Amino acid sequence: MGNLEARHDKFFLATDVVYLDLSGSNQIALQPAIGDIALGGSFDLKAKINTTIAGYNLIDSNTGTLDAFAGVRYIGIDTTVKVTSIGPLGGHYKKATPEGDSTDGVVGVKGKLNLEGNWSLPYYLDIGSGDSDSTWQTFGGIDYLMDNTKIYAGYRYLEWDFGGAIDKLTVDGPVIGFNY
C-alpha cells in the first residue's frame, strides 16, 4: 500500500495504490459418526486497487485543513474458490474462478484537525459509484510531525457493493506509516 500527493497553491493531485494477495483453506466434518464425511475448501483472492483524485483546498487555518476532491477508483480482482467433498463413496470437486474489474467515480473530503504541538488528526471520506453499485472509503487517525516527516497511525475502511459473483468486498484494518 502506498500513496503519492502533489500540491500547488490550493490545488492537488493524489493517487493511492493497494495490492492484496489473500488465501485460506479449511476442512470440516459434516457427520463424523457416518464414515467421516467432510467438506473442504480453499480460496485465493488477488486484487489491485488504485484511487486517483484531484482536489482543491477549501480551508487552511490554525485549527486544520479541509480539501474537497473528485476522482476515480479502479479495482481488478482475480479469485479462485475450490470445494471438495470427501466420503465413503468417493469425493466431488468444484472450482470457480470469478474475476473482473470495476471503475467508479468518487467524490469526498479530506484534511486534518490540528492539536497541541506537532500532533494532528487526519481524516478522509469518499463515496462513489459506476461499474459497481457503490464504493466508499474512510480513514481516521493521529499523526506527529518531525521536521518534514509525519508518523501516523489510524484505521482504514474500504468497501464495494458489486451485486455479481463477488457481491461485496471489504478491506479494513489498522494502518501505521509515515509521510515525507
Side-chain angles (χ1 to χ4, degrees):
M1 173 170 82
N3 58 38
L4 180 65
E5 183 172 315
R7 288 187 173 265
H8 179 71
D9 293 327
K10 290 188 166 274
F11 295 94
F12 70 92
L13 290 172
T15 189
D16 179 69
V17 178
V18 177
Y19 176 75
L20 301 172
D21 189 350
L22 307 169
S23 62
S25 63
N26 201 358
Q27 183 169 321
I28 59 170
L30 296 176
Q31 297 176 348
I34 305 173
D36 290 327
I37 296 173
L39 184 65
S42 67
F43 78 94
D44 182 48
L45 179 136
K46 291 183 170 84
K48 297 171 227 59
I49 304 165
N50 176 263
T51 304
T52 300
I53 59 174
Y56 186 79
N57 175 254
L58 301 172
I59 298 172
D60 189 0
S61 71
N62 290 337
T63 57
T65 64
L66 174 65
D67 299 333
F69 62 83
V72 95
R73 175 171 299 127
Y74 168 82
I75 183 169
I77 301 173
D78 294 313
T79 58
T80 302
V81 179
K82 299 174 189 172
V83 178
T84 306
S85 65
I86 304 164
L89 301 177
H92 296 88
Y93 174 79
K94 295 288 183 189
K95 178 179 176 182
T97 56
E99 62 182 51
D101 59 0
S102 177
T103 303
D104 300 293
V106 295
V107 295
V109 294
K110 70 185 208 75
K112 67 178 180 172
L113 299 173
N114 293 328
L115 302 175
E116 299 252 343
N118 292 341
W119 294 93
S120 66
L121 301 173
Y123 60 90
Y124 178 102
L125 174 65
D126 74 28
I127 188 166
S129 185
D131 290 343
S132 73
D133 292 343
S134 67
T135 181
W136 67 282
Q137 177 176 207
T138 188
F139 170 81
I142 188 164
D143 65 23
Y144 183 78
L145 177 63
M146 300 182 310
D147 296 321
N148 290 330
T149 304
K150 283 186 184 177
I151 298 172
Y152 65 90
Y155 193 85
R156 181 177 185 174
Y157 185 93
L158 177 55
E159 179 180 293
W160 285 267
D161 286 320
F162 294 111
I166 300 172
D167 184 47
K168 188 177 207 177
L169 177 65
T170 301
V171 179
D172 66 316
V175 176
I176 298 172
F178 68 94
N179 291 352
Y180 176 77

